[in-house]
Amino acid sequence: MNDKNCELLLEYLNNILCGCGTEPMNMKNLDESYRELFQGLQRLQCAVNELDAYSAELSKGNLAAEFPKDTNFLCRNLKSLHKNLNRLTWQAQQIAHGDSSQHIDHLGDFSEAFNEMAEHLEKREARLKEETEKIQRHAEMLESYNGLLVEMLSKRNEWLLVVDQNNKEILYCNKKKHGGGVDESFCRTCKSRLSFQSELLNWKETEQYSVREINSGDDKDTYYRITSFPIEWKERHSLVHIIVDISDEKRTAHNLTSKAYHDPGTGIKNRLFFKEYMESILTEHREATLCYLDLDGLKYVNDKFGHLEGDIYIQNFVELIRSSFRNGDTFARIGGDEFCLVLTGCIGELMNRKMDEILKRFQSERYSDYQCSFSYGIVQITGKEKDPSLDGILHEADEIMYECKRRNKEKYPELVR
């Protein structure tokens, strides 16, 4: 009889291990002493089935799969892998939103490849900033070469005007027609193109040398750099004005600066600008109030409604914060769902009241089929801190923010995770 019990149980165990499926077995077919062992095999079968289903979901990249119960010891390592994959996904999203400071050190060769990618992105961001600075230095260098440009203007497109200091007569213009004096018809055209010509003709500054940048005020938003200095022109006391169109240069410098310091997804300042701005505040010991904001449930919205809806969620949040403060206040995105707002002065109490009002308004408005919410933490910078550090201030604000997030989680457990 014992042999029969053993055969039935061994066959049952073999089917479990081979994944062949098991035929229902009636415990009544077993002797009393073998029934407890049979129940143990049934629990093993449930654990194996759960392991098979869980691993199948992970192999398809479904990181939203539910974790198995803690009692299933077969899934412990897979659960650790699942958690690591979720963390890696979040870090990759952070890098995609401009935070190249992400670092991992517990996944062997993958860690090395990931960290190398983040390092390359950070270096590229630094190169972009360096390129901006080079262009600005180049613009300054051009101003120092204006003396040489005077001799070369006949071969270039710049305007050069020589004006009599006494009667404001134009004695020379490099745009004149060949032969004779300055063509009056051209002067009328020049006057319409250079709306500031009358300012040049009536220049009364006593400086020996002056460089100014002027916006013409036209629809094309044209900029000119004007270099002016006195000379003797054919025995007449005169002024030379060299007018250079720098519109393209201005636009290039502006575009590069915008790319280096702005978040492409929202248009607000980015992490690089925020770090440099905060370093200046701490170095100069200025008073400021920092509000650290975390958009609740962005991953939930992305997973349930798609990344396009997640982007809309971010934009609605950014627009709400931006419209609630002055243009001069610094609002920056420092991560995928992390933002910082910096106001001058120690106004922590006022800031707390205002952010509480904004949060209630955001939670009460329904932009889509999900609850909107954010968490925040406010820290005052008095300018009297000893050896202040940005990391320390952010850590303090982060701890305060998590108290707010805990309260939000009690209200919206599905959104805040």
Side-chain angles (χ1 to χ4, degrees):
M1 185 62 185
N2 288 342
D3 291 342
K4 182 62 176 177
N5 286 317
C6 290
E7 287 179 10
L8 290 172
L9 292 176
L10 283 173
E11 182 181 1
Y12 192 83
L13 177 59
N14 184 62
N15 288 337
I16 292 174
L17 297 177
C18 295
C20 302
T22 56
E23 293 293 332
M25 183 187 298
N26 194 335
M27 279 199 304
K28 294 180 179 180
N29 295 332
L30 298 170
D31 292 341
E32 185 70 27
S33 58
Y34 287 89
R35 292 179 182 178
E36 186 176 350
L37 177 58
F38 173 68
Q39 290 174 341
L41 290 176
Q42 284 184 312
R43 289 193 293 272
L44 176 62
Q45 180 187 2
C46 291
V48 169
N49 290 344
E50 191 173 32
L51 171 65
D52 185 56
Y54 184 46
S55 60
E57 290 300 311
L58 290 184
S59 68
K60 293 186 290 187
N62 179 17
L63 300 185
E66 294 185 3
F67 281 17
K69 299 176 182 176
D70 292 337
T71 54
N72 190 341
F73 68 95
L74 295 177
C75 294
R76 288 174 187 168
N77 290 335
L78 276 181
K79 288 170 67 176
S80 295
L81 175 63
H82 190 176
K83 290 177 181 178
N84 284 335
L85 289 174
N86 277 328
R87 176 65 183 176
L88 287 173
T89 300
W90 179 85
Q91 288 184 289
Q93 289 172 342
Q94 297 297 97
I95 288 181
H97 289 101
D99 178 10
S100 55
S101 65
Q102 296 297 321
H103 183 87
I104 57 176
D105 54 9
H106 58 282
L107 292 176
D109 292 341
F110 184 86
S111 297
E112 184 177 345
F114 184 95
N115 295 335
E116 184 179 359
M117 176 190 67
E119 183 180 354
H120 284 320
L121 288 174
E122 193 166 19
K123 287 181 178 178
R124 186 175 68 177
E125 191 174 36
R127 284 197 300 270
L128 184 60
K129 180 186 174 183
E130 184 179 356
E131 186 178 350
T132 301
E133 293 173 348
K134 284 182 180 179
I135 287 182
Q136 291 173 341
R137 288 195 298 270
H138 179 67
E140 294 171 359
M141 183 179 64
L142 286 178
E143 292 179 358
S144 68
Y145 290 162
N146 272 328
L148 177 61
L149 289 176
V150 170
E151 300 178 11
M152 300 175 61
L153 274 174
S154 60
K155 301 178 182 179
R156 297 177 62 87
N157 293 326
E158 292 87 347
W159 278 294
L160 187 149
L161 294 178
V162 179
V163 181
D164 188 299
Q165 289 194 35
N166 297 317
N167 59 19
K168 312 305 178 186
E169 178 187 355
I170 298 177
L171 304 178
Y172 173 79
C173 174
N174 67 328
K175 300 298 181 181
K176 69 177 181 179
K177 287 189 174 182
H178 295 294
V182 177
D183 186 352
E184 290 295 330
S185 64
F186 180 85
C187 285
R188 287 191 293 272
T189 303
C190 180
K191 189 179 296 185
S192 65
R193 295 178 67 182
L194 291 177
S195 57
F196 50 84
Q197 189 189 70
S198 61
E199 180 181 340
L200 297 181
L201 297 180
N202 293 288
W203 190 63
K204 297 179 180 179
E205 295 185 20
T206 57
E207 299 177 21
Q208 291 296 306
Y209 187 83
S210 175
V211 179
R212 321 186 283 294
E213 290 186 3
I214 293 180
N215 185 345
S216 68
D218 57 20
D219 294 338
K220 296 180 181 179
D221 207 19
T222 307
Y223 286 86
Y224 297 95
R225 181 182 295 117
I226 303 173
T227 304
S228 303
F229 52 88
I231 64 168
E232 287 291 322
W233 181 271
K234 297 181 179 180
E235 300 181 356
R236 297 172 70 171
H237 297 294
S238 307
L239 292 169
V240 175
H241 301 290
I242 303 171
I243 304 106
V244 182
D245 188 334
I246 59 169
S247 303
D248 290 341
E249 182 183 315
K250 279 278 190 180
R251 281 190 285 269
T252 300
H254 174 75
N255 290 338
L256 284 173
T257 301
S258 180
K259 289 179 181 179
Y261 287 119
H262 286 78
D263 172 55
T266 60
I268 62 176
K269 296 293 192 297
N270 62 7
R271 185 184 185 88
L272 177 62
F273 178 89
F274 171 74
K275 288 176 66 176
E276 294 185 1
Y277 178 67
M278 288 302 299
E279 285 172 3
S280 69
I281 287 178
L282 298 179
T283 301
E284 298 167 12
H285 302 286
R286 287 186 276 157
E287 291 185 351
T289 301
L290 182 144
C291 180
Y292 178 76
L293 303 108
D294 187 282
L295 183 58
D296 294 333
L298 179 58
K299 182 180 183 304
Y300 166 77
V301 174
N302 283 333
D303 292 345
K304 189 171 180 62
F305 300 95
H307 286 270
L308 180 60
E309 186 61 37
D311 291 341
I312 294 174
Y313 185 30
I314 293 172
Q315 290 288 356
N316 289 334
F317 165 73
V318 168
E319 184 56 35
L320 174 66
I321 300 298
R322 184 158 48 185
S323 63
S324 301
F325 294 89
R326 300 167 301 181
N327 291 334
D329 297 327
T330 298
F331 184 33
R333 185 180 189 180
I334 63 173
D337 53 5
E338 299 168 311
F339 301 79
C340 272
L341 180 66
V342 184
L343 277 66
T344 57
C346 293
I347 53 171
E349 184 177 348
L350 176 63
M351 188 73 157
N352 265 301
R353 289 200 303 269
K354 184 161 186 176
M355 292 309 301
D356 184 59
E357 294 173 359
I358 296 172
L359 175 58
K360 289 178 181 177
R361 189 161 79 246
F362 192 52
Q363 291 175 338
S364 65
E365 294 178 357
R366 302 289 291 184
Y367 297 101
S368 188
D369 296 329
Y370 52 85
Q371 177 63 48
C372 299
S373 180
F374 65 86
S375 304
Y376 66 90
I378 295 173
V379 174
Q380 289 190 151
I381 303 168
T382 65
K384 300 178 182 178
E385 293 85 359
K386 184 178 180 181
D387 298 326
S389 72
L390 178 57
D391 288 341
I393 292 170
L394 288 177
H395 179 72
E396 182 182 352
D398 184 64
E399 289 184 341
I400 298 172
M401 182 274 293
Y402 266 99
E403 283 299 311
C404 179
K405 187 173 285 290
R406 180 186 58 77
R407 296 191 297 270
N408 289 341
K409 186 174 182 179
E410 292 174 357
K411 294 174 63 178
Y412 312 112
E414 181 181 23
L415 185 68
V416 183
R417 296 180 176 178

